[in-house]
């Protein structure tokens, strides 16, 4: 009978679509798989930005920043923290911008880097793109620096920002909108570093 064939076809179609949906991993599962695969590869990616890298010794980092300051590239201060280092991003984004950063050291070497990227006009109070527009610009910059492959993980809380994450070998990069929406936080972690004692 024709209706049996139609029902059989609809059941087949439903099972096929259901099977395809079931095969699609959630962003969280994609991230877990990506981290496992990257760590298993044994490849190291220590480069961060502007000549700074994981395993850089604290004295080497401070000497490097001092010399960059003498050359007018780095300075102390910034929108995120006045105790951090600021470097101008002159041509990397649509408008003049800066990255404000400072590392965390373990056994005298950089294992993490906290940073924030924002447009210079934030300091002056002038209107600039913010929120999703700024996030889009920073994501493009991150892909230019580190390649494509950032995964979006939706926040389960309405008051917390979605997170974008990418893992290359030992280097994990996470970025998300700051509560102020005038800057994007970026967090670099060396996944092969031993957990700190305060964690």
């Amino acid at each position: 009978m024709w209706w049996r064939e139609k029902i059989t076809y609809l059941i087949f179609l439903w099972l096929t679509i259901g099977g395809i949906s079931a095969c699609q991993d959630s962003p969280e599962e994609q991230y877990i798989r990506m981290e496992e695969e990257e760590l298993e590869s044994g490849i190291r990616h220590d480069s961060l930005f502007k000549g700074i890298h994981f395993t850089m010794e604290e004295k080497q980092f401070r000497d490097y920043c001092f010399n960059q300051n003498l050359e007018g590239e780095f300075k102390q201060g910034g929108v995120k923290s006045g105790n951090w280092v600021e470097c101008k991003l002159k041509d990397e984004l649509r408008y003049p911008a800066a990255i404000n950063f400072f590392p965390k050291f373990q056994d005298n070497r950089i294992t993490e880097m906290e940073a924030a990227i924002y447009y210079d006009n934030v300091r002056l109070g002038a209107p600039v793109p913010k929120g999703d527009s700024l996030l889009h610009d920073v994501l493009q910059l991150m892909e230019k620096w580190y390649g494509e492959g950032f995964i979006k993980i939706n926040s389960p809380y309405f008051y917390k920002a979605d997170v974008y994450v990418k893992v290359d070998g030992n280097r994990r990069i996470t970025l998300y909108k700051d509560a102020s929406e005038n800057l994007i936080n970026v967090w670099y972690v060396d996944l092969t570093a031993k957990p700190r004692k305060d964690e």
Side-chain angles (χ1 to χ4, degrees):
M1 301 278 290
W2 66 268
W3 55 271
R4 280 188 184 163
E5 291 176 5
K6 189 161 188 172
I7 289 174
T8 303
Y9 172 75
L10 289 173
I11 290 172
F12 171 77
L13 189 63
W14 177 75
L15 288 171
T16 303
I17 292 170
I20 290 171
S21 298
C23 291
Q24 293 177 346
D25 292 340
S26 70
E28 292 84 357
E29 291 168 327
Q30 289 177 42
Y31 166 74
I32 290 168
R33 189 173 66 249
M34 176 173 63
E35 182 179 295
E36 288 173 351
E37 289 173 356
E38 289 295 327
L39 283 172
E40 285 174 6
S41 75
I43 296 170
R44 287 200 66 87
H45 290 276
D46 288 338
S47 174
L48 298 175
F49 52 83
K50 304 297 179 183
I52 300 168
H53 56 85
F54 288 137
T55 74
M56 189 180 236
E57 293 184 358
E58 185 170 0
K59 183 179 186 311
Q60 183 185 3
F61 170 77
R62 294 185 184 280
D63 290 345
Y64 179 74
C65 289
F66 178 77
N67 290 328
Q68 290 294 103
N69 179 272
L70 293 178
E71 294 177 15
E73 294 296 320
F74 290 0
K75 69 174 186 176
Q76 184 177 346
V79 171
K80 182 74 176 182
S81 173
N83 295 322
W84 288 9
V85 179
E86 185 184 70
C87 174
K88 298 299 182 185
L89 302 173
K90 297 164 188 168
D91 301 314
E92 281 97 334
L93 296 176
R94 286 188 294 163
Y95 305 96
I99 183 167
N100 197 194
F101 60 91
F102 203 80
K104 291 185 178 179
F105 299 94
Q106 183 179 317
D107 296 329
N108 200 39
R109 295 179 183 273
I110 294 176
T111 56
E112 294 183 37
M113 177 73 77
E114 292 185 66
I117 297 176
Y118 46 85
Y119 286 117
D120 273 344
N121 283 4
V122 169
R123 209 185 273 277
L124 306 174
V128 291
K130 61 181 181 178
D132 291 339
S133 179
L134 176 58
L135 176 62
H136 174 74
D137 292 349
V138 172
L139 265 171
Q140 284 190 320
L141 174 64
M142 294 288 110
E143 289 180 343
K144 180 180 172 185
W145 283 0
Y146 310 107
E148 296 180 357
F150 281 86
I151 295 174
K152 178 181 180 182
I153 300 178
N154 296 319
S155 171
Y157 308 103
F158 73 91
Y159 54 88
K160 288 191 175 181
D162 296 335
V163 169
Y164 293 79
V165 63
K166 184 177 193 297
V167 179
D168 293 304
N170 60 303
R171 182 185 62 202
R172 183 180 68 204
I173 305 168
T174 309
L175 56 137
Y176 55 96
K177 285 191 289 188
D178 191 78
S180 71
E181 292 200 352
N182 288 322
L183 52 88
I184 302 299
N185 294 307
V186 187
W187 181 32
Y188 300 84
V189 175
D190 181 353
L191 294 172
T192 63
K194 294 179 293 185
R196 296 197 312 274
K197 292 176 182 177
D198 59 344
E199 291 185 329

